[in-house]
Amino acid sequence: MTSWVRRRTMDAIANFGPLAKEALPALVKALQDPSKWIRAKAIQTLAKIGKPAKHLVPQLIKMWDDKGWNVPSKAQAAIKSLGLNTETIKLVVQRLQTSPQRRHQMYCIQLLAFHIPTLFSKLKTKQKMMQLLQLK
């Protein structure tokens, strides 16, 4: 099957949104495809599937290291769309503290800035938020 056909197939899957959760294993496999176009399209499709794909955010954070020129930015957009939970916030904070790459640091700051207001309202107190972010 050609790359073009595979990408169009993922477009069709994405149109089903959360109902396409059955396709998650194939999309996870596509994240390892040799083609940067297939990897990028798989990421976009995961974002459109939405909540059923949220558990894949840690894997999408790892995609920031991908060498395909558009793959890291697609992963960033997908993570922003899927959202963060306390586990993934810790991963983002850890990446911010340890990654020497400015692009990764920028991605972390963007995600935290985007999601912190929602998380703060859920946690109810500044102290809990600071503990979560390991800022004490």
Side-chain angles (χ1 to χ4, degrees):
M1 191 179 320
T2 68
S3 176
W4 185 87
V5 170
R6 292 171 68 205
R7 290 192 318 251
R8 297 300 73 81
T9 301
M10 284 188 263
D11 283 336
I13 291 168
N15 288 332
F16 287 98
L19 297 175
K21 65 183 177 189
E22 304 295 324
L24 288 176
L27 292 168
V28 168
K29 186 176 178 183
L31 294 175
Q32 305 304 318
D33 196 90
S35 166
K36 65 184 174 195
W37 303 107
I38 297 296
R39 294 190 307 274
K41 184 54 77 173
I43 291 167
Q44 287 178 306
T45 304
L46 289 170
K48 290 182 180 179
I49 289 174
K51 193 173 183 176
K54 191 169 184 168
H55 70 282
L56 296 170
V57 167
Q59 192 164 351
L60 293 173
I61 290 171
K62 292 176 185 173
M63 297 300 289
W64 290 346
D65 295 320
D66 194 279
K67 301 297 183 213
W69 67 269
N70 63 341
V71 173
S73 63
K74 298 292 184 192
Q76 172 69 357
I79 295 166
K80 187 176 178 183
S81 171
L82 293 170
L84 300 175
N85 58 30
T86 54
E87 175 191 328
T88 53
I89 285 207
K90 288 178 183 178
L91 289 174
V92 170
V93 170
Q94 180 183 25
R95 192 70 177 255
L96 177 61
Q97 294 171 337
T98 60
S99 179
Q101 293 191 28
R102 288 194 185 274
R103 179 181 64 185
H104 294 174
Q105 294 166 357
M106 179 187 70
Y107 287 163
C108 292
I109 291 167
Q110 288 173 345
L111 285 172
L112 292 172
F114 186 77
H115 291 288
I116 291 288
T118 304
L119 290 165
F120 187 73
S121 68
K122 288 181 181 177
L123 291 173
K124 305 285 188 222
T125 70
K126 183 178 177 181
Q127 183 180 15
K128 287 182 182 179
M129 177 62 72
M130 300 304 258
Q131 287 172 341
L132 174 63
L133 296 176
Q134 301 171 346
L135 299 174
K136 299 178 183 166

